[in-house]
Amino acid sequence: MCEAPKYTIHNHQFHYGWDNALQPAERVAPGTTLAFQCNDAGGGHFKPGDTAAAVATLDFSKTNPVTGPVYVDGAAPGDALKVTFGGFTPSGVGWTANIPGFGLLADQFPDPALHMWSYDTGAAAPAAWGKARVPLKPFTGTIGNALAEPGQHSVVPPRQVGGNLDIRDLAEGTVLYLPVEVAGALFSVGDTHAAQGDGEVCGTAIESAMDVVLTLDLVKGANLKSPRFTTPGPVARHLDAKGYEVTTGVGPDLMANARGAVSAMIDLLTATHGLSPVDAYMLCSVCADLRISEIVDQPNWVVSLYFPRVVLD
Amino acid sequence: MCEAPKYTIHNHQFHYGWDNALQPAERVAPGTTLAFQCNDAGGGHFKPGDTAAAVATLDFSKTNPVTGPVYVDGAAPGDALKVTFGGFTPSGVGWTANIPGFGLLADQFPDPALHMWSYDTGAAAPAAWGKARVPLKPFTGTIGNALAEPGQHSVVPPRQVGGNLDIRDLAEGTVLYLPVEVAGALFSVGDTHAAQGDGEVCGTAIESAMDVVLTLDLVKGANLKSPRFTTPGPVARHLDAKGYEVTTGVGPDLMANARGAVSAMIDLLTATHGLSPVDAYMLCSVCADLRISEIVDQPNWVVSLYFPRVVLD
């Protein structure tokens, strides 16, 4: 945590979706450091002890509340909002669900499933689930600015101005640049995750409320087309010490290849570790990484899923 | 290098494409360790001192020669060939080209370009190109078994039995499992690379002849649908010490997103480091990684390109 926050945006100051008509929760000068209290993506719906039955009563229109918006003085369309990630203070409880109709293999996993996590709030120890030990790296799943287009826009899809990016390296020390489309940027953040693999394949991570400290600054006239970021150091050393089990999908369609690689990993984990298929799927979502190994050897591309061996070894 | 090779398959024992009617170069028992002398993907076409003009005379029908095939006694359809990677002995010279009509951004880079590399044969020091320093990790770009389908099949696309996978972690210590479709497997290997980023975005890596020691074994009745592998340890520590510059592509099509992320990185590298666009493109191909950050927040997905800062900092 670099600097003490000058403002706190509290967890009751949230909104659903993006709308540039929303009143700012706070108005700050460029360079200001703020604390954001972020709700989990279920808005507190899931409680310790809950089972899969609780998935059925989740109101999808009230998922992914984001804390904000914050108006940054001087921010104008064409600028970039520079977001520097300070420290995270995770709640120590979280959930991962298979939500029917949602996720990369929604057709193969039609039934709800839920795992409630309890983890070290310092995020120093891995989170346990049966014999699995998932290393943690808290980050913000949803982080973005308001869109120029009027009206309310769903929070689910990520956009050029950011939003539900679910990039697991938007973590402590990273510097993120987001395109600004409206005066003041109208920045909001939420959907904090204690851990996630690249892809978030089942659709949920270790969803967990937490506080995050961010510094908001401006790069005037950046004319950025989509988000970019800089990490200060390695991004996967919490996962890589024992190497990876890797499955592949080979063929002419990247989406089909990704699905094939994940299916193959579920088959491998169920065969070698006795996990149920849906548990293997949810475990991949919180720790395994989808990579595009090759995208030029036409007509077939290779997508690989890297499952960190440290989790089950 | 685990074991001394019992056989050497020499670099004149190569073939173009996959054909299950080819006579084996050698017939071995399961568990045998062999040395393979691999030609570079250009079959020796490019020489130190060559310029972009040499790209025009490359005969595409004679690219990607693979050394082999090797018949493994007892291998039958439904088995997996288990390939354990021993040591690599790189030649110390290599090439990276932009070949017109080939590569992720072929429409934007119609002109040939070539960079000839000279590098440490121990692969311990990074390879230099102007002010760029690219850490090396030798691996086999093309590695696979013959197809069940008769006739000659192009070596360019990877397939379920392997082939031109271009997975940069098929390196020393990795154990690879390849589906077997014909008696004896008819295994071949080539297209060795001194370094490559995930994606191989311009279509070529640091293409370089080298010798590789492999142990070939069998897993009977594995019924594997596509290649999988195990890495013995971390896969990116040669790249990650200083973190990454990351650009993103956000939208409903993974291929378009990948193209967007690479274009954004080329823009960034040309603006911040004064590289020419085609040099930036080729540099991304040899060291930057394409990752699928998010593939579930319908209708938009996020593909990210991770450029290791150690290369230019």
Side-chain angles (χ1 to χ4, degrees):
Chain A
M1 201 177 302
C2 6
E3 224 176 305
K6 197 168 170 185
Y7 300 93
T8 298
I9 315 298
H10 295 85
N11 58 7
H12 61 87
Q13 296 173 291
F14 67 81
H15 57 95
Y16 298 114
W18 302 98
D19 187 340
N20 64 28
L22 288 173
Q23 286 307 304
E26 196 57 77
R27 186 165 177 149
V28 302
T32 299
T33 299
L34 303 93
F36 292 82
Q37 296 179 346
C38 298
N39 299 285
D40 75 89
H45 175 79
F46 297 107
K47 311 282 184 204
D50 275 358
T51 65
V55 176
T57 58
L58 179 68
D59 181 351
F60 225 77
S61 72
K62 295 196 172 154
T63 54
N64 247 7
V66 284
T67 300
V70 170
Y71 187 106
V72 179
D73 284 333
D79 297 345
L81 187 70
K82 179 184 177 186
V83 184
T84 302
F85 290 82
F88 287 73
T89 309
S91 64
V93 295
W95 58 274
T96 302
N98 182 55
I99 301 170
F102 190 56
L104 184 61
L105 303 180
D107 54 331
Q108 295 169 40
F109 292 96
D111 299 322
L114 179 71
H115 177 68
M116 294 301 305
W117 302 83
S118 170
Y119 65 85
D120 169 26
T121 54
W129 179 11
K131 64 178 181 174
R133 296 289 178 273
V134 177
L136 301 179
K137 178 173 168 178
F139 73 98
T140 59
T142 301
I143 184 165
N145 296 329
L147 287 78
E149 198 182 341
Q152 208 197 22
H153 303 275
S154 167
V155 76
V156 175
R159 305 168 190 272
Q160 303 305 319
V161 285
N164 196 10
L165 292 165
D166 286 322
I167 298 172
R168 71 104 190 274
D169 297 321
L170 300 182
E172 186 173 346
T174 290
V175 179
L176 169 68
Y177 301 86
L178 294 169
V180 173
E181 288 195 359
V182 299
L186 294 177
F187 170 86
S188 303
V189 61
D191 182 27
T192 34
H193 296 162
Q196 182 203 294
D198 282 329
E200 201 188 17
V201 296
C202 91
T204 54
I206 300 185
E207 308 289 336
S208 186
M210 59 188 83
D211 298 346
V212 50
V213 174
L214 305 174
T215 301
L216 303 182
D217 210 340
L218 290 178
V219 182
K220 296 299 291 179
N223 286 315
L224 200 59
K225 288 179 198 147
S226 59
R228 75 170 181 87
F229 59 96
T230 304
T231 80
V235 295
R237 291 202 178 179
H238 59 308
L239 298 171
D240 71 2
K242 292 190 173 179
Y244 296 89
E245 296 293 341
V246 187
T247 50
T248 65
V250 181
D253 179 73
L254 291 168
M255 179 61 74
N257 296 355
R259 284 168 50 86
V262 174
S263 289
M265 185 60 75
I266 292 169
D267 290 348
L268 181 65
L269 295 180
T270 55
T272 55
H273 291 279
L275 298 176
S276 74
V278 74
D279 285 0
Y281 180 40
M282 291 161 68
L283 196 55
C284 287
S285 195
V286 302
C287 72
D289 294 333
L290 277 177
R291 292 162 163 255
I292 299 176
S293 297
E294 174 279 296
I295 196 168
V296 292
D297 298 327
Q298 41 192 343
N300 289 344
W301 330 122
V302 179
V303 175
S304 300
L305 184 69
Y306 280 61
F307 186 95
R309 294 168 62 196
V310 73
V311 171
L312 285 170
D313 277 9
Chain B
M1 200 178 303
C2 7
E3 224 177 307
K6 198 167 170 187
Y7 301 92
T8 299
I9 315 298
H10 295 85
N11 59 7
H12 61 87
Q13 295 172 292
F14 66 81
H15 57 96
Y16 298 115
W18 301 98
D19 187 339
N20 65 28
L22 288 173
Q23 286 307 303
E26 195 60 75
R27 187 166 176 149
V28 302
T32 300
T33 299
L34 304 93
F36 293 82
Q37 296 179 347
C38 297
N39 300 284
D40 76 90
H45 175 80
F46 296 106
K47 312 285 184 201
D50 275 358
T51 66
V55 176
T57 58
L58 179 68
D59 180 351
F60 224 77
S61 72
K62 294 195 173 155
T63 55
N64 247 6
V66 282
T67 301
V70 170
Y71 187 106
V72 179
D73 284 333
D79 297 344
L81 187 70
K82 179 185 176 186
V83 184
T84 303
F85 291 81
F88 287 73
T89 310
S91 64
V93 294
W95 58 274
T96 301
N98 182 55
I99 301 170
F102 190 56
L104 184 61
L105 302 180
D107 53 332
Q108 294 169 41
F109 292 96
D111 299 322
L114 179 71
H115 176 67
M116 295 301 303
W117 301 84
S118 170
Y119 65 86
D120 169 26
T121 54
W129 180 12
K131 64 178 180 174
R133 296 288 177 276
V134 177
L136 301 179
K137 178 173 168 178
F139 73 98
T140 59
T142 301
I143 184 163
N145 296 328
L147 286 77
E149 197 183 343
Q152 206 194 24
H153 302 273
S154 168
V155 76
V156 175
R159 303 167 191 274
Q160 303 304 323
V161 287
N164 196 11
L165 292 166
D166 286 322
I167 298 172
R168 71 104 189 276
D169 298 321
L170 300 182
E172 186 172 345
T174 290
V175 179
L176 169 69
Y177 301 85
L178 294 168
V180 173
E181 288 194 359
V182 300
L186 296 176
F187 168 87
S188 304
V189 60
D191 183 27
T192 33
H193 296 162
Q196 185 204 291
D198 282 328
E200 199 187 20
V201 295
C202 91
T204 55
I206 299 185
E207 308 288 335
S208 184
M210 58 188 83
D211 298 347
V212 51
V213 174
L214 304 173
T215 301
L216 302 181
D217 210 339
L218 291 177
V219 182
K220 296 299 292 180
N223 286 316
L224 198 61
K225 287 178 198 147
S226 59
R228 74 171 182 88
F229 59 96
T230 305
T231 80
V235 296
R237 292 204 178 179
H238 59 308
L239 297 170
D240 71 3
K242 292 191 174 180
Y244 296 89
E245 295 293 341
V246 186
T247 50
T248 64
V250 181
D253 179 73
L254 291 168
M255 179 61 75
N257 296 357
R259 286 168 49 87
V262 175
S263 288
M265 185 61 74
I266 292 170
D267 289 348
L268 182 65
L269 295 180
T270 54
T272 55
H273 291 279
L275 297 175
S276 74
V278 73
D279 285 0
Y281 180 39
M282 291 160 69
L283 196 56
C284 286
S285 195
V286 303
C287 72
D289 294 334
L290 277 176
R291 290 161 165 257
I292 299 176
S293 297
E294 175 278 298
I295 195 168
V296 293
D297 298 327
Q298 43 194 346
N300 289 345
W301 330 121
V302 179
V303 175
S304 301
L305 184 69
Y306 280 61
F307 187 94
R309 295 168 63 196
V310 72
V311 172
L312 286 170
D313 278 10

